[in-house]
Amino acid sequence: PRPMPTGRGEPVGQKRHTNIAVVRMKKAGFRFEVACYKNTVMAYRSGAETDVDEVLQSKYVYTNISKGIFAPLDDIKAAFGTDDQEAVCLMILKSGDYQVSDKERASKQTSLFRDICTILCSKTVNPDTNRPYPFAVVEQSLRDAHFNVDVTKAAKLQALQVALPLLQNKGVRIERAKMRVKIKGSTKSSERSQSAELVASLSALTLGDNASDGASAKPASTASSPVPAAGGAVIWEIDPSEFRRIDATCRENGWTIEVLELSVHEQGDEIGGGGPPPAQRSGLARMMERAHLPVPPPPSTVAALDAPVQIVSAPAPPPSVAAPPKPAGGGGGLTSATAPGVTFQSRDELKAHLKSDWHRVNLKRKSAGLPLLSKEEAEGEALLEEMEREKGLSEFM
């Protein structure tokens, strides 16, 4: 009989650690290492990954992973007080030294940068219009200012203490949005006198601790003055950095303070000038603006008051012209709420309209309480939405 082929005699229990991330720790004079999968350690430490089996490649503690040398149990017990290697692996995984890979570092920096831009959009405004800047404008401004993200600091801290002053130094018209609070006194006087007392007391507040040292005192908020409200209360728009001091003053005097809005701003995004907000501009006008083309002014809907008014009666139609026949089904034609001023002569035309971008765009604007667009403007709006959607997909890919 033909002899059976024999193997090469290689060890079958050998586990080669390749493509790994090593977490190291030095404790009690000993060196310990654990083997993890790449791009998973930071996710585990942040809480995004909770399954340890998806992080650890092996639940053994090593002295040198590259050489495959296990840590002696006596050294593990002397350093950690236990010889449970799985528990020791978790200790090293949570607090050990880890060299972040390039992919993880880039992913964290990108995510942190977007968080900073989002915070700036929600907590800052253009002081000229009191409108927030759109995300794309803030992102591009920070990139032009060469803003560097620090992965060791919180996003809000970097947004308000680093990114905001940097943009202001670069000449960008941006400032922190005001906070709206409601303050009510504790006296039993009439509502009118109570509001007047609160207004006088709050207006006398000064900024900073140097007011008692003889330094020049400034009003607590230069944006607005306290406004009397119903129930003997006052409404005040203040800088968020002043809230702690004003809250302490209210506690000392027995007043109650209630936060009405964390960020006070007008609705809509800031495009960089006056005019109606972008939600009320037609899609064609927004496309021309982005393409740096002159946008024709909207037609005036109100005539001049001093213009002479002429009443001209419409001439009667000639008797030889016959009136157009009415469509089948009765009535004066078919209409749609999303096509103002348009009459459809057949049901097929109405069905085609209900499937068009004109109907879809105007239906969304009607639900939002915005004025309806003409067919050309709606097609431009739909084209702009498609361009923005493609741009978002390309950035995602």
Side-chain angles (χ1 to χ4, degrees):
R2 187 175 180 179
M4 296 290 292
T6 58
R8 297 176 60 183
E10 293 184 351
V12 296
Q14 184 178 8
K15 187 172 184 179
R16 298 183 180 275
H17 291 291
T18 59
N19 192 28
I20 63 174
V22 180
V23 181
R24 299 180 174 87
M25 175 181 284
K26 288 185 178 180
K27 191 171 184 179
F30 301 105
R31 173 181 172 180
F32 304 100
E33 297 179 352
V34 293
C36 306
Y37 294 103
K38 280 192 173 182
N39 308 321
T40 58
V41 178
M42 298 303 296
Y44 177 80
R45 290 183 175 180
S46 64
E49 179 62 63
T50 57
D51 190 357
V52 181
D53 294 333
E54 297 293 334
V55 181
L56 292 175
Q57 288 197 20
S58 174
K59 295 183 179 179
Y60 292 97
V61 182
Y62 293 81
T63 301
N64 192 321
I65 288 181
S66 61
K67 296 181 180 180
I69 301 176
F70 291 102
L73 292 180
D74 295 339
D75 296 349
I76 296 175
K77 192 170 184 179
F80 297 96
T82 179
D83 56 358
D84 186 354
Q85 297 205 43
E86 184 174 352
V88 173
C89 285
L90 293 179
M91 296 180 190
I92 299 175
L93 180 61
K94 290 180 180 179
S95 56
D97 298 330
Y98 170 62
Q99 186 175 2
V100 183
S101 64
D102 295 339
K103 185 177 180 180
E104 278 185 301
R105 185 181 298 107
S107 175
K108 187 172 183 179
Q109 286 180 344
T110 302
S111 176
L112 191 59
F113 182 78
R114 294 183 67 86
D115 292 343
I116 292 173
C117 295
T118 303
I119 292 173
L120 284 177
C121 291
S122 61
K123 296 185 178 297
T124 60
V125 293
N126 183 342
D128 298 332
T129 59
N130 200 33
R131 294 183 183 276
Y133 285 99
F135 181 88
V137 174
V138 175
E139 181 181 17
Q140 188 60 40
S141 299
L142 288 179
R143 295 190 187 279
D144 294 342
H146 305 288
F147 172 71
N148 295 322
V149 178
D150 189 351
V151 295
T152 62
K153 296 182 179 179
K156 184 177 180 180
L157 180 67
Q158 297 187 69
L160 300 180
Q161 296 187 6
V162 181
L164 180 58
L166 178 62
L167 292 178
Q168 292 174 341
N169 293 335
K170 293 293 183 179
V172 179
R173 296 283 296 164
I174 186 172
E175 67 178 19
R176 185 80 182 269
K178 302 300 178 183
M179 174 189 293
R180 182 175 292 151
V181 297
K182 180 180 180 181
I183 302 176
K184 188 174 182 179
S186 59
T187 61
K188 298 182 179 180
S189 57
S190 62
E191 295 182 359
R192 180 174 298 180
S193 60
Q194 186 176 354
S195 298
E197 293 175 3
L198 281 175
V199 170
S201 301
L202 295 175
S203 300
L205 289 179
T206 55
L207 267 177
D209 299 330
N210 56 357
S212 59
D213 300 335
S216 59
K218 297 185 296 182
S221 179
T222 58
S224 64
S225 300
V227 179
V234 296
I235 305 296
W236 201 11
E237 292 183 4
I238 62 174
D239 192 279
S241 61
E242 303 168 9
F243 177 76
R244 291 180 181 271
R245 188 176 58 83
I246 296 175
D247 179 57
T249 303
C250 292
R251 292 177 184 271
E252 293 174 359
N253 293 275
W255 304 336
T256 59
I257 182 171
E258 177 186 358
V259 178
L260 301 181
E261 287 188 61
L262 291 174
S263 179
V264 179
H265 55 75
E266 299 291 337
Q267 297 296 326
D269 290 338
E270 173 62 37
I271 299 298
Q280 297 182 6
R281 280 205 293 267
S282 65
L284 183 60
R286 291 163 60 187
M287 290 178 59
M288 296 177 68
E289 183 182 69
R290 293 191 178 187
H292 304 287
L293 298 176
V295 181
S300 177
T301 57
V302 181
L305 296 178
D306 55 351
V309 179
Q310 297 181 357
I311 301 177
V312 181
S313 59
S320 59
V321 179
K326 295 183 179 180
L334 303 174
T335 59
S336 173
T338 56
V342 178
T343 303
F344 301 97
Q345 301 301 325
S346 64
R347 294 186 179 274
D348 294 336
E349 292 182 5
L350 180 59
K351 290 180 180 179
H353 165 71
L354 297 179
K355 298 179 181 180
S356 64
D357 292 333
W358 188 13
H359 170 73
R360 180 179 59 83
V361 171
N362 275 347
L363 188 61
K364 292 170 58 178
R365 294 179 66 86
K366 185 179 179 182
S367 301
L370 300 175
L372 303 182
L373 304 178
S374 64
K375 184 177 181 180
E376 293 76 11
E377 292 174 338
E379 291 176 352
E381 182 80 12
L383 180 59
L384 180 63
E385 292 178 357
E386 183 66 24
M387 292 170 58
E388 292 178 350
R389 190 182 302 111
E390 292 178 356
K391 181 181 178 181
L393 289 176
S394 62
E395 292 178 354
F396 177 78
M397 297 299 292

